[in-house]
Amino acid sequence: MNASLPNLFEREHQRIDALLHAHLLDVVGGDFKGARRRLARWRQALNGHIEIEQTRLLPHVPAGARWDARVYQLEHDRIALLADEYAARVQAAAACAPQGRQARRQAVLDLLDAAHSLRHLLEHHHQREEMALAHELPAVLQAAAWAAG
């Protein structure tokens, strides 16, 4: 990839990270129903992002790439699993919002703790893609994949 071209992986990651950030702001505010809605939007965007990578980009990872396509695929599977587990916790909080100030604060803290491993995995996965995959795949392929998505 040409250094003067934008890192399209970074752009896409920033877009979906902004959705997760908005969700977490709802969590911090104790708006569990809003958090559930925003998490669903984030998950839809994440699913689309992963689908593009799996179908349009990873099949073109060149031989000798820093990481094999299978590494990214396994990380996608792990991200989906953690996202599902986290979504179940958000759903539970939205379905039965805790009553009382202390209970609400504890629920917020519990959700933030539950989101931590998902966010950590996403951060490292995004870094891997931005520093390696974005430079190993042809820019034209990347632009076409993200434009079609």
Side-chain angles (χ1 to χ4, degrees):
M1 185 170 146
N2 187 324
S4 65
L5 294 176
N7 187 320
L8 299 178
F9 280 91
E10 186 176 342
R11 182 193 73 193
E12 290 300 312
H13 293 155
Q14 288 172 352
R15 181 182 66 80
I16 60 175
D17 286 348
L19 295 171
L20 184 58
H21 182 82
H23 155 76
L24 290 169
L25 289 176
D26 282 343
V27 170
V28 168
D31 178 3
F32 301 116
K33 289 184 180 180
R36 180 184 60 205
R37 284 190 301 274
R38 286 191 200 262
L39 186 64
R41 283 188 215 121
W42 169 78
R43 186 57 192 272
Q44 184 177 13
L46 178 69
N47 289 346
H49 177 87
I50 289 172
E51 178 69 17
I52 288 168
E53 289 182 355
Q54 297 278 113
T55 62
R56 298 181 184 163
L57 296 169
L58 294 181
H60 302 282
V61 171
R66 187 167 184 175
W67 290 287
D68 186 74
R70 186 78 179 130
V71 171
Y72 299 105
Q73 292 166 343
L74 289 171
E75 285 181 344
H76 289 160
D77 292 345
R78 181 74 176 141
I79 289 166
L81 176 67
L82 290 178
D84 287 345
E85 291 172 355
Y86 177 68
R89 294 185 74 146
V90 172
Q91 175 61 33
C96 186
Q99 300 301 307
R101 184 175 165 190
Q102 195 63 22
R104 195 169 203 73
R105 286 180 172 183
Q106 186 62 53
V108 166
L109 182 58
D110 291 346
L111 286 176
L112 292 176
D113 284 346
H116 181 74
S117 58
L118 174 61
R119 292 178 70 205
H120 182 76
L121 177 57
L122 284 167
E123 178 184 352
H124 287 279
H125 177 73
H126 292 173
Q127 286 174 348
R128 183 185 321 279
E129 290 179 344
E130 291 167 17
M131 74 179 191
L133 198 54
H135 302 282
E136 294 167 336
L137 294 174
V140 133
L141 174 68
Q142 292 178 55
W146 294 121

